[in-house]
Amino acid sequence: MEDNMNGIEEKKKPKYNVPALDSAFKILTLLSRKKFSKSNLTEISKALSLTPTTCFRILQKLEELSIVRFDKSSKRYSLGPYLVVLGERAKENQFDISVIIPYLESLSEKTGLTAFLVSRIGKNRSTIIAKSEGEEFGINVSVGRHFSVIDGSYGKCLLAYLEEEDAVELLHSNEGLRSMSSEEIQELIKELPTIRENGYATTFGEYIDGIVGISAPLFNTDGSVDMAISIIGMTAQFNDKEIVKMGELIKRIGQEVSFKISGYESKK
């Protein structure tokens, strides 16, 4: 019999914090951003609120492992060559991505738009991990670029399948591309059930002027969502009927991809 049948509540696993590891990951994430791709010790420690001594020790170890590179002449750090090796091995071992990329290519060919795959990273962030740029109306996006988990149509997809209290907490953190008022946050919270019902989410210039985004969730085996596929274009290219048509297209593709990578079969 299950423990809860005997009146015993299941205990949550404790969360362990490893400060040095957490700081090392933050350093690598910072150096992956264009603005900080070549930064000195002061810039890195200030941006991450780390003491220069702690920051220097971590950078030294990362440099020893060729995970970061130090230029003696400029005294600046950048991402190191061994990350290329790790990245290639990660791609080789990521069955999900190898399955999804052909769908992104097909989607960009059918629409002429840029199609990309977004994955949640940790609690608050998301990143682009694969893309296919359309030849006709493609908008350039950068693989590896980080966003707040609440940003864009892909953020709406991720939020829609979270527990409501988690979604509300993330929205009230207001760490996205645009600062939202309390009224706007409430409107978005009310929109989340509609997103689940429709099977896709849209944005129309509210995050980036002139840009429309349409995204569909990719489901895990248990119905949770950590990834979304998206297309983006110019608002001038779309009317309401075209957005619905694109939404239904990306929804169908998302359902097919979800079934292939996790066996999850949508009922809608």
Side-chain angles (χ1 to χ4, degrees), residues 6 71 82 139 166 179 182 189 200 238 254 263:
N6 295 323
D71 187 316
Y82 194 61
I139 295 173
D166 293 332
S179 180
S182 296
I189 291 170
Y200 62 90
F238 294 91

Side-chain angles (χ1 to χ4, degrees), residues 197-200 214 242-255:
E197 179 67 27
N198 291 341
Y200 62 90
I214 308 171
E242 288 167 335
I243 289 177
V244 171
K245 182 180 178 181
M246 292 284 190
E248 290 297 326
L249 171 63
I250 198 169
K251 170 186 173 180
R252 289 195 301 272
I253 290 175
Q255 290 173 337

Side-chain angles (χ1 to χ4, degrees), residues 115-134:
F116 54 97
L117 173 66
V118 174
S119 178
R120 187 177 180 183
I121 297 179
K123 181 179 180 181
N124 301 316
R125 308 297 293 173
S126 61
T127 188
I128 297 173
I129 58 176
K131 68 174 181 177
S132 177
E133 292 181 357

Side-chain angles (χ1 to χ4, degrees), residues 112-115 132-141 232-234 237:
L113 304 175
T114 296
S132 177
E133 292 181 357
E135 295 182 0
E136 296 179 29
F137 310 107
I139 295 173
N140 183 56
V141 297
I232 55 172
M234 306 298 292
Q237 299 168 222

